[in-house]
Amino acid sequence: RQALVAVFDEPAKEQPNFVVGKLRDILAMITLGSVLMLSVALSGVATKFAEPILELLGLGQGATSIVWLIGLTLGLGASTILFFTFFKLLASPQTPGRALWSGAFLGAIGFEILKQLSTFLLASTKQQPAIQAFGIALILVVWINYFSRVVVFSASWAHTSRVAREQRERQEWHDDSVVEGPRTDLRTLARFSPDLDHPAGSSKGAFAAGAAAMLAVVAVVRRRK
């Protein structure tokens, strides 16, 4: 959450209290964990059931490629939903949905690559019992590390997309206009102000009134003397 909040430049959420905050975190972990398991299991289940169905339809020769394509498509779809859920549930950014979905799709591609690599590495340790003792744990640690990097990278992609930048620029312009206040239109002001309709005449009248007042003051002072 801290990484995504920093990427999307969002203010940190305030914890109402310890119990409510921890309950919220637990619910978030359950939701994300469920979506994650669904994303990982969907491609495997689809691959398992698609192969006998294709063989039943007489497509056994090209079943391998078709099954792999089906599993990959379903995995990408589920992983895209997973990353979008990460963004909305943990950070709640003001980024447009289009930008979030594009970042989620990019993250899904990286996630599928990690799944394929981890599957290959785990399969390579089956014939080596000595490596299995530590190899699986090591692969899991490395997988978690790179998965976190993929999440942050995909969030950065969404935050720096053209659509997101344009929205932030419009919001900044709106905030600046609100802070500066309304701008005065001089033409409109002159239209409704009698003193500005005839500036030359008003200045002459003001000068004459000031001169007359000065002469009256001088006359009063002389009489007193």
Side-chain angles (χ1 to χ4, degrees):
R1 180 188 295 123
Q2 293 178 357
L4 291 178
V5 167
V7 169
F8 287 111
D9 196 18
E10 294 290 328
K13 295 181 179 180
E14 296 182 359
Q15 296 276 6
N17 56 62
F18 180 81
V19 177
V20 177
K22 293 304 179 183
L23 288 176
R24 186 185 65 182
D25 292 341
I26 292 174
L27 291 176
M29 290 179 62
I30 293 174
T31 303
L32 294 175
S34 301
V35 178
L36 177 60
M37 288 189 294
L38 177 64
S39 172
V40 175
L42 187 59
S43 58
V45 173
T47 302
K48 181 178 180 180
F49 286 98
E51 187 171 356
I53 293 175
L54 292 175
E55 291 180 355
L56 182 63
L57 297 176
L59 301 175
Q61 295 181 352
T64 304
S65 301
I66 297 176
V67 168
W68 181 82
L69 183 60
I70 293 174
L72 180 62
T73 303
L74 293 177
L76 283 174
S79 299
T80 302
I81 298 175
L82 169 67
F83 278 82
F84 186 83
T85 306
F86 266 111
F87 301 155
K88 297 297 290 185
L89 189 60
L90 297 182
S92 300
Q94 302 299 322
T95 308
R98 178 182 173 184
L100 291 179
W101 281 112
S102 65
F105 181 71
L106 179 64
I109 295 176
F111 185 49
E112 289 300 317
I113 294 175
L114 289 178
K115 286 198 297 185
Q116 297 297 328
L117 290 176
S118 61
T119 301
F120 173 77
L121 292 176
L122 290 174
S124 63
T125 60
K126 288 183 177 180
Q127 305 300 329
Q128 300 177 2
I131 299 179
Q132 282 187 344
F134 302 98
I136 296 177
L138 180 60
I139 292 173
L140 181 60
V141 171
V142 174
W143 186 87
I144 292 174
N145 189 321
Y146 279 94
F147 174 73
S148 302
R149 294 173 183 269
V150 169
V151 173
V152 175
F153 182 80
S154 59
S156 303
W157 178 277
H159 185 65
T160 57
S161 63
R162 182 178 58 84
V163 179
R165 292 199 310 270
E166 290 177 354
Q167 176 175 312
R168 288 196 298 273
E169 290 175 358
R170 289 193 299 266
Q171 185 64 34
E172 291 176 359
W173 181 86
H174 179 268
D175 294 341
D176 293 340
S177 63
V178 172
V179 172
E180 292 177 0
R183 299 179 180 179
T184 303
D185 189 352
L186 296 179
R187 295 181 180 178
T188 305
L189 182 62
R191 185 183 305 170
F192 295 99
S193 177
D195 294 336
L196 295 178
D197 288 340
H198 305 285
S202 60
S203 60
K204 290 180 180 179
F207 178 78
M214 181 60 66
L215 291 176
V217 172
V218 172
V220 171
V221 172
R222 287 182 178 179
R223 286 182 181 179
R224 290 183 179 181
K225 290 179 178 181

